[in-house]
Each structure stands twice: as C-alpha cells, then as structure tokens.
Amino acid sequence: MTTIKDMPVRASNRSSVRLFATVKIMHQTTRARVVDLSASGMAFDIEKPIQVMPGQLVTVESEELGRLSGTVRWYSNGRLGIQYKLSTNALAQITSYFRFFHEEVRPVLRR
C-alpha cells in the first residue's frame, strides 16, 4: 500500500466476491468468506476470532481458487486482509477465477 498525503491507496483494484475458504495461520484454522479479491490480495470475514499479527504466514484454501499462500496485512473486527505470496501459480489461479467463475470484474469503491 502506498500513501498520498497520508491517505492509504490500494496498489490494485479489488472486486467484490462471495467465496468460502478455509484460512490457516500457524496452528489456527477458521472458515471465512472472501469478500474482496484482487491480483495482489484478498479480504475475509472470518467465522471465529483468531490471534493474528501482520506479517504472519497464512494459507487459504477454496474450491474456486485452490490453495494460496500469503502474509497477513491487517486484522480488525472479524475481518482479515492478506497479501499473496505471488508466484506464477498464484497469479494463474486468480486469473482463472476471474475468467471462469466471476462474471464481471467491478472495482469496489471505498469511502
């Protein structure tokens, strides 16, 4: 994330999605709903509270996206944001989702 005059700006546009996934962070596992998805990361509404800190490694598994790895960027009020550990495989999985499952890619507008 970069800043312009101390206001956070996303590096890539996000699309609203409704996918279900399993999130694994260290010895903790929880079900989650993916609510935002982009080429560089995703945001979740998690089912149960977990202990997590930015920078921790995370694994996400979903039927539509397969298995992705990344790092925690933020966690607040039951929502979790991760940044992918980008590889050609991860990029192919995300691209494939948008091509075959997600009908229309629309950026999410934030206020």
Side-chain angles (χ1 to χ4, degrees), residues 27-51:
H27 62 278
Q28 303 171 95
T29 300
T30 187
R31 293 280 301 151
R33 184 174 53 133
V34 182
V35 293
D36 288 338
L37 183 67
S38 76
S40 61
M42 63 177 72
F44 305 92
D45 281 334
I46 60 169
E47 189 174 88
K48 63 182 182 183
I50 56 175
Q51 293 181 343

Side-chain angles (χ1 to χ4, degrees), residues 1-13 73:
M1 206 183 294
T2 58
T3 60
I4 299 172
K5 295 184 182 179
D6 298 326
M7 294 192 63
V9 177
R10 284 198 163 84
S12 58
N13 290 331
R73 297 295 292 172

Side-chain angles (χ1 to χ4, degrees), residues 51-71:
Q51 293 181 343
V52 63
M53 293 178 57
Q56 285 184 301
L57 297 177
V58 61
T59 301
V60 177
E61 293 184 38
S62 85
E63 188 174 315
E64 296 85 357
L65 298 171
R67 178 182 283 182
L68 296 167
S69 297
T71 56

